[in-house]
Amino acid sequence: MILVLLGAPGSGKGTQAAMTGKTLGIPVISTGDILRTAIREQTETGLKAKSYVDAGKLVPDGVVAEALQSRLKESDCENGYILDGFPRTIPQAELLEELGISPDIALSIEVPDSDIERRMAGRRVCLTCNAVFHTEYNRPKAEGICDICGGTLTRRADDEPETVRERLRVYHEQSEPLKGFYERLGKLRFVIGAGDVMDINRRITEALG
């Protein structure tokens, strides 16, 4: 199975991708990780990507797709994979289709903006070990202190309310149209992303059949 997870920032895509990949026994393919690895290993694609990164520019879709194609040739992708972070726009989705990388299912995790803003506002991250807590759903034993290492908990800059609203605006403008793209191909399915993480994962498993 080739699966694409769609959803707004803060909808839980990363968490659910990892859980679903484990359930299905297929890897989660992160384009960000692929590019970082290619740059570190100084592959031909990595050197191309590095030239853009060093100049403070976005890596072009074609270079990202090159790195993705190379990763998908590895043996762990033979039985399928979950794409994480690509496509984010309709031109990226069209590029994948042209390259023959066509998902069987595009699964959209649906969460209202108001819920996402509340989730992000309450998220706290440990400065030392990066453990994640939440002021409502996963409270630390002592306020502001990490249960795991005793480090200081803080709110990340991209979880600040104004930043979250801007990220949601960009999502609705650039990425949400992907739902229509995959719906026209007959590949779109929806899952309600509210509630407990395990409940959401069960809904995803059911939606995948």
Side-chain angles (χ1 to χ4, degrees), residues 24-205:
L24 298 176
I26 57 177
V28 178
I29 307 298
S30 163
T31 48
D33 289 346
I34 291 170
L35 287 175
R36 282 187 287 273
T37 299
I39 290 170
R40 185 175 64 250
E41 295 179 351
Q42 297 188 335
T43 66
E44 183 179 346
T45 303
L47 292 173
K48 287 182 190 176
K50 188 175 186 298
S51 67
Y52 290 97
V53 172
D54 288 349
K57 298 178 181 178
L58 290 174
V59 178
D61 292 347
V63 176
V64 177
E66 259 184 55
L68 182 59
Q69 281 184 299
S70 178
R71 173 66 180 89
L72 297 182
K73 291 176 183 176
E74 296 181 23
S75 60
D76 63 337
C77 296
E78 288 179 358
N79 295 319
Y81 46 86
I82 299 172
L83 290 178
D84 178 19
F86 201 89
R88 290 184 187 272
T89 64
I90 287 179
Q92 290 177 354
E94 290 173 337
L95 176 59
L96 289 185
E97 293 291 325
E98 290 169 14
L99 294 173
I101 304 171
S102 184
D104 299 300
I105 296 173
L107 189 71
S108 179
I109 301 176
E110 300 289 307
V111 184
D113 284 5
S114 57
D115 287 1
I116 287 174
E117 289 184 34
R118 188 169 66 251
R119 283 184 190 180
M120 306 283 254
R123 187 160 60 181
R124 299 292 183 270
V125 180
C126 177
L127 289 173
T128 305
C129 72
N130 292 318
V132 179
F133 296 85
H134 197 279
T135 55
E136 290 183 54
Y137 313 120
N138 180 29
R139 294 178 180 175
K141 294 173 184 174
E143 187 173 350
I145 304 297
C146 177
D147 291 354
I148 297 170
C149 73
T152 300
L153 299 180
T154 187
R155 181 158 68 186
R156 297 188 315 194
D158 59 357
D159 286 342
E160 293 291 341
E162 287 301 318
T163 305
V164 171
R165 283 191 280 274
E166 175 60 16
R167 291 172 68 195
L168 288 170
R169 184 195 68 77
V170 171
Y171 164 75
H172 290 306
E173 181 181 294
Q174 297 183 7
S175 298
E176 193 166 33
L178 281 169
K179 290 193 284 188
F181 176 84
Y182 285 116
E183 186 173 32
R184 288 190 291 275
L185 294 178
K187 297 179 176 183
L188 183 67
R189 299 185 189 178
F190 294 98
V191 164
I192 301 300
D196 179 82
V197 169
M198 295 304 296
D199 289 338
I200 297 167
N201 194 249
R202 278 193 288 271
R203 289 177 211 145
I204 288 175
T205 301

